[in-house]
Amino acid sequence: MRNNPDDLSNQLVSKIKQCLRAEISSSQPVIDGDEEVTDGTDDIIIGRHEYAEQLLEQITKWEEN
């Protein structure tokens, strides 16, 4: 069943990766300085961005094994 796109676990991992990419994409303007956050949540946005990138990288490493 491994690498079977119909497998539930593969579907779940795919959805998680999609969510992480969306988080990275939505926070990228703040990271790049193109968008200013005025409510004081910039550190939270930066932390979420960094975590999403790191988790996506880790999932990729796990998939290679």
Side-chain angles (χ1 to χ4, degrees):
M1 280 213 164
R2 189 172 182 152
N3 295 324
N4 179 352
D6 295 329
D7 184 21
L8 182 59
S9 63
N10 287 329
Q11 291 176 24
L12 182 60
V13 170
S14 178
K15 288 181 181 187
I16 291 169
K17 289 167 56 175
Q18 182 180 10
C19 182
L20 293 171
R21 288 185 190 110
E23 179 66 38
I24 292 167
S25 178
S26 69
S27 60
Q28 195 64 51
V30 175
I31 302 299
D32 293 340
D34 297 334
E35 186 176 305
E36 187 175 325
V37 180
T38 59
D39 62 359
T41 60
D42 52 330
D43 288 337
I44 294 170
I45 294 169
I46 292 168
R48 287 174 58 111
H49 180 88
E50 290 174 353
Y51 184 74
E53 283 184 325
Q54 292 171 359
L55 184 53
L56 194 55
E57 288 176 20
Q58 185 61 51
I59 290 171
T60 302
K61 287 179 187 177
W62 289 332
E63 289 177 330
E64 291 173 357
N65 291 331

